[in-house]
Amino acid sequence: LIVAQGGRGGKGNAAFRSATRRTPLHAQSGKAGEARRLRLELRLLADAGLVGFPNAGKSTLLARVSAARPLIADYPFSTKAPILGVVGIGEYESFVLADLPGLIEGAHLGAGLGHQFLRHVERAPVLVHLIDMGPTAPAPPLESYRLMHAELEAYDPEVERKPTLIVPTKMDLPEARAAYEACRADLEALGHPVLPISAATGEGVERLMKRVWATICEVRAATRTARLADEATLAHEDRT
């Protein structure tokens, strides 16, 4: 990608050398190129992204399944920047998991920290949606999911096509487990796999990571198949 066209180089004195002028003393000046001041924006490249309201347990989960060490605290916005962690699956496989913080209602309009972090969602082909089931959750589970999904979709309509896993968290708390059982049918009716966990105790975490990895593999296979189909179509068009 050319973002600034270079100038045209002039001829040096050697270009004017001839049999009668062995050491020419003049040269030709070149022409100036384009000058631009650019601001580049980095979008994290991850295989899966953790989304959810503050204090849903994203940082705790990332710290448990990877070597990443995000700040974990009992107040909102303790994580102030997206963090990547590498999750090992078995002996040879691994994937990159991103903690995408700062997402609250109105994030796509610039509320909280979400507006500057929502762009990273575009590069995560699989979304892991954490829902706080604890007694201090900012919203009921179903409302929490719908609010967050609406924010993601308002920023990137393509999010509707991304495979999503719904993950009720804090199952180590009796209140959270009771809340999950009360809304379990409603969550399952959303049409996505529902995998409750406790990142604090590790309950359900291994099963979740294996499911995330399986979903990533499905996305990669579908992408590869689509690319091969496109290449075959182009080759056929070239022949005809």
Side-chain angles (χ1 to χ4, degrees):
L1 174 66
I2 298 176
V3 296
Q5 184 66 50
R8 190 177 70 184
K11 295 180 180 180
N13 64 327
F16 299 97
R17 186 172 179 270
S18 67
T20 57
R21 186 168 47 186
R22 297 297 184 90
T23 56
L25 300 179
H26 68 280
Q28 185 183 63
S29 300
K31 293 187 176 181
E34 295 178 329
R36 294 174 182 255
R37 186 180 293 272
L38 304 174
R39 177 171 179 169
L40 303 182
E41 183 178 272
L42 173 67
R43 292 177 182 172
L44 296 181
L45 184 60
D47 296 304
L50 299 175
V51 298
F53 284 104
N55 279 24
K58 300 185 295 296
S59 296
T60 304
L61 176 59
L62 187 66
R64 173 167 281 276
V65 300
S66 74
R69 290 296 174 262
L71 174 64
I72 299 173
D74 59 355
Y75 56 86
F77 302 115
S78 57
T79 304
K80 291 182 168 54
I83 297 176
L84 297 177
V86 178
V87 181
I89 300 293
E91 189 174 355
Y92 301 108
E93 305 291 352
S94 65
F95 65 89
V96 178
L97 184 63
D99 175 6
L100 306 176
L103 304 182
I104 61 173
E105 185 176 4
H108 74 284
L109 298 175
L113 302 174
H115 190 257
Q116 65 187 104
F117 296 144
L118 271 169
R119 63 181 180 271
H120 300 296
V121 173
E122 298 178 45
R123 301 298 298 272
V126 176
L127 299 181
V128 183
H129 191 138
L130 273 61
I131 300 179
D132 186 352
M133 306 299 294
T136 59
L142 207 59
E143 182 182 352
S144 176
Y145 172 82
R146 287 172 175 163
L147 286 173
M148 180 56 59
H149 185 77
E151 290 301 320
L152 296 172
E153 192 173 23
Y155 180 82
D156 179 15
E158 290 296 315
V159 76
E160 188 67 36
R161 300 183 182 181
K162 294 180 183 287
T164 301
L165 305 179
I166 297 177
V167 182
T169 63
K170 305 182 181 178
M171 290 294 104
D172 55 299
L173 303 177
E175 302 92 337
R177 191 172 294 277
Y180 166 64
E181 293 298 338
C183 67
R184 179 175 182 176
D186 293 330
L187 291 176
E188 292 175 347
L190 294 172
H192 302 293
V194 180
L195 299 101
I197 67 163
S198 168
T201 64
E203 176 189 348
V205 170
E206 183 177 358
R207 181 169 73 110
L208 171 62
M209 291 300 105
K210 289 181 177 179
R211 187 61 179 270
V212 172
W213 172 243
T215 306
I216 291 170
C217 292
E218 292 171 2
V219 172
R220 289 177 179 175
T223 302
R224 186 163 52 250
T225 300
R227 185 174 65 249
L228 291 174
D230 290 341
E231 292 175 354
T233 301
L234 291 174
H236 176 72
E237 291 175 353
D238 289 341
R239 288 195 301 269
T240 57

